[in-house]
Amino acid sequence: MTYSSDWHRVSPLAIIHHGLTFLRQLVGSNPGPLLGLVAGTVAFARESPLMIATTALTLVLLGVVMAVMGWLRFLYRVHDGAIQVQQGVFTRHKLTLAFERIQNVRLERPVYLRPFGLARLTIESAGSASEEVHLPGIPLAEAEGLRDRALHETPSRQAPEAEVPGADSPASQELLRRRPSDLIIYGISSPAILWGGAIAASLLGALTRNMGDARNQQAEQAMNTLLEAMPGWLPDFLVLPLAILLLLLLMALASMTMALLRYQGYQLFREGERYRVTSGLVTRREQGIRHQRIQHLHMAQSFVARLFRRHHLSCHPIGPSLPDQPDGGGGALMAPSLTPVEQARIIEALYPGLDWENLRFQQVSARFMLPRFAFWGLLAVITAVWVAVSDVPAWTLALFLPVPPLILLNWRRQGWCLQGERLILRGGLIGCHYTLFDAYRVQTLRLFQNPLQRHAGLANLGIRLGSGGFRIPFIPWGTGARLMDHLLWQVETSRAPWL
Amino acid sequence: MQTSFSNHSLLPQQLPSIEEAQWQHLAPDYARMVLLSGLAFWLPAGAAGLALSALGVIPLSAMLVAAAWLVLLIPTLLSYPAARVKRYAIREQDVLFHEGLLWKNTTVIPRNRIQHIQTENGPLERWFGLVTLKCYGAGGQQADLVIPGLEETLGQQLRQYLLNQADDTENPEHTGGDDDVQQ
């Protein structure tokens, strides 16, 4: 497969992609300035509509010209075992990404490219985000060819332990398929909804606080109108909880829709040494990763997911660990809402021979709870003083009641288990989450202790992999030191490819 | 300290232990440099604060300003002993760094995980003839291990020594190292 080509342009439809990306960046990262700009424009437009119109027209024209120029100057080619990209209107950037350094490949087919048989290819390397290659709008066949090549190319100095990736077209084996019901569970239990709920609750809290304020008549009026609109049988004190519940339901609905859009038709395949995921309702997305590139496995479980006995699994390649994002979190391969059976099957595929059901976790010291008790205790004392001196209702103190059991639960969840060459970390609050990796993936180790921990002979062990950092808190110092020695020994004697 | 941790099956006793590493202290000038750079800021700042309060520009009593200044000076004064306890160890297979007066911290980076190495020296470090050595692993933005206060020749020697290993064929998957050597 020696495929090489001259400098190419991507399809002009890529301009849409650039425009959409720009819009998303404009709105997504920080809507504040944009809103300010719009408000300013509206205020100004009342004064002189003509000037605004000309300015807007100029800006739009400028944007279009820039987009077209950007498209004209975006060139790519495959040359000498690498993808080369030239881009930039004023400053030319040239990027060469060797196939053997590619970590992760994503092939997407958004609605506006699908009718034309085009696709968008994203290629990530082990380096920073600036070493990412986006090819928006190239023919599907070519995108697939590049993807296959990127996923099959092995480093020239391959270690003997690495299994040789099979022939050009290894047999495809389906590991997992998601039904809409699974995705709905994922939608309800994904962390995004918790944030939404918290925001909604705080907004409502602010609203009710304003109501008590005599100066703020408007909020009171709005609330009164709301109360009048309510059916008469509804007691007043139920209005607030019901409103929160309603908002939560709306959030859940939105989250479920997102999950369905993103993961509809989810299928996970294993093809020799690589994994491939296809999913998406509107934008068909295909993501591939080679087995060897997976640094760690994470299994998350929120408290809602615990009710359904599900875990959300993600395989992380090298790169800065990003928080859960709607589009799969910076290169991680997702497997949403797994039942225990499915989870065991996938773990067996990824880490053969790991006896997942019978792992014995080591507890961390109960002193783990001390700083948490100290923090919440202090907060409770401050609240108590506040209640005593001002007219804050006394029931606010009751909010602290669930804290001690939660701290206890959080401590009980902490644990670690060294099984052969694999380290499994456990954590969580109500749900239980796990992190699993091979010891030889470790990059940096850190043993640290604060004065109180030193007094008690305890320490924390920080472990950094290429895909993120983890911590085993409050273990005996001697255990930490020996675990560190052991992991170092594993790393330093291993000859397995780890990048 | 007896633990519930079973040692025999998992961790053979003959493993080299970080507790037996041969620690090297940083250059004696380093602690002086840290103290000096702290004082170079705080002494003029304190004098300026006192002067402003004496002239009545800021509505605070001179005693209060002096007290605040003394409190703020504590971290600077502590930086001297803190710099003295910092130490490093270069072993066959890894590099260790230890720091912390009260909050103790030991960091290790295996040598076959070092992706690139950098030496840096600012104006003050150049004045004292010191360099800072930074070791970077893969996938992170920051240096994984930083050893400050090395004598310049020693720092360059260490960098060269560690680079030689990083470029060794020992590390089969070491890719993209070509442009890492030039600093």
Side-chain angles (χ1 to χ4, degrees), chain A residues 295 318 439-445 463-467 488 491 498-499, chain B residues 108-111 113-115 136-140 144:
Chain A
Q295 299 285 319
I318 209 156
Y440 70 80
R441 303 272 183 190
V442 168
Q443 300 230 0
T444 315
L445 289 165
I463 303 167
R464 197 180 80 74
L465 311 184
S467 49
L488 282 173
V491 172
W498 57 278
L499 207 65
Chain B
V108 192
I109 183 165
R111 284 177 55 188
R113 294 292 180 266
I114 296 177
Q115 290 290 301
Y136 292 82
D144 281 311

Side-chain angles (χ1 to χ4, degrees), chain A residues 205-220:
Chain A
L207 196 73
T208 47
R209 234 177 298 129
N210 275 340
M211 256 172 35
D213 200 343
R215 282 167 300 177
N216 200 330
Q217 302 271 322
Q218 263 184 331
E220 200 167 355

Side-chain angles (χ1 to χ4, degrees), chain A residues 405-445:
Chain A
L406 282 179
I407 292 177
L408 191 75
L409 204 60
N410 185 223
W411 166 63
R412 304 268 309 172
R413 290 269 180 260
Q414 305 295 317
W416 61 276
C417 168
L418 183 67
Q419 215 216 27
E421 292 167 7
R422 287 152 184 159
L423 191 62
I424 303 108
L425 311 181
R426 189 182 65 189
L429 192 60
I430 294 173
C432 205
H433 55 74
Y434 301 92
T435 306
L436 201 167
F437 53 88
D438 288 314
Y440 70 80
R441 303 272 183 190
V442 168
Q443 300 230 0
T444 315
L445 289 165

Side-chain angles (χ1 to χ4, degrees), chain A residues 155 157 293 416 440 442-450 454 464 482 484-486 489 491-492 498, chain B residues 3 5 10-11 15-19 93-94 103-108 110 112-113 138 144 172-174:
Chain A
R157 286 180 287 167
R293 304 287 198 206
W416 61 276
Y440 70 80
V442 168
Q443 300 230 0
T444 315
L445 289 165
R446 200 159 72 92
L447 194 63
F448 56 106
Q449 50 182 190
N450 63 32
R454 197 170 46 177
R464 197 180 80 74
R482 269 173 290 155
M484 198 163 175
D485 291 336
H486 179 72
W489 174 70
V491 172
E492 288 157 5
W498 57 278
Chain B
T3 71
F5 181 68
L10 299 175
L11 310 177
L15 276 187
S17 172
I18 55 159
E19 289 156 86
Q93 302 290 341
D94 41 41
W103 276 259
K104 304 256 181 201
N105 191 341
T106 307
T107 311
V108 192
N112 58 358
R113 294 292 180 266
D144 281 311
E173 204 28 33
H174 181 78

Side-chain angles (χ1 to χ4, degrees), chain B residues 162-180:
Chain B
L162 294 172
L163 271 180
N164 287 345
Q165 160 114 10
D167 274 351
D168 248 4
T169 39
E170 285 263 308
N171 189 353
E173 204 28 33
H174 181 78
T175 52
D178 348 311
D179 45 53
D180 297 340

Side-chain angles (χ1 to χ4, degrees), chain A residues 291-310:
Chain A
H291 184 110
Q292 173 209 317
R293 304 287 198 206
I294 297 171
Q295 299 285 319
H296 79 269
L297 202 68
H298 185 73
M299 277 157 280
Q301 187 182 49
S302 65
F303 76 93
V304 186
R306 185 171 178 82
L307 294 180
F308 293 101
R309 286 173 54 76
R310 302 280 180 133

Side-chain angles (χ1 to χ4, degrees), chain A residues 225-301:
Chain A
T225 335
L226 200 71
L227 282 176
E228 277 160 28
M230 292 278 168
W233 48 263
L234 199 69
D236 279 0
F237 67 89
L238 269 181
V239 172
L240 192 66
L242 272 180
I244 291 180
L245 201 69
L246 196 72
L247 266 172
L248 273 177
L249 273 176
L250 276 177
M251 296 294 306
L253 215 63
S255 182
M256 281 188 271
T257 319
M258 286 290 288
L260 282 171
L261 279 177
R262 175 69 183 79
Y263 290 111
Q264 169 60 31
Y266 178 100
Q267 276 175 295
L268 170 66
F269 298 98
R270 177 176 193 157
E271 292 164 354
E273 274 300 290
R274 69 172 173 155
Y275 296 89
R276 189 162 61 85
V277 162
T278 55
S279 65
L281 188 66
V282 182
T283 299
R284 285 300 290 174
R285 224 176 260 258
E286 194 186 299
Q287 203 181 354
I289 188 170
R290 281 180 39 210
H291 184 110
Q292 173 209 317
R293 304 287 198 206
I294 297 171
Q295 299 285 319
H296 79 269
L297 202 68
H298 185 73
M299 277 157 280
Q301 187 182 49

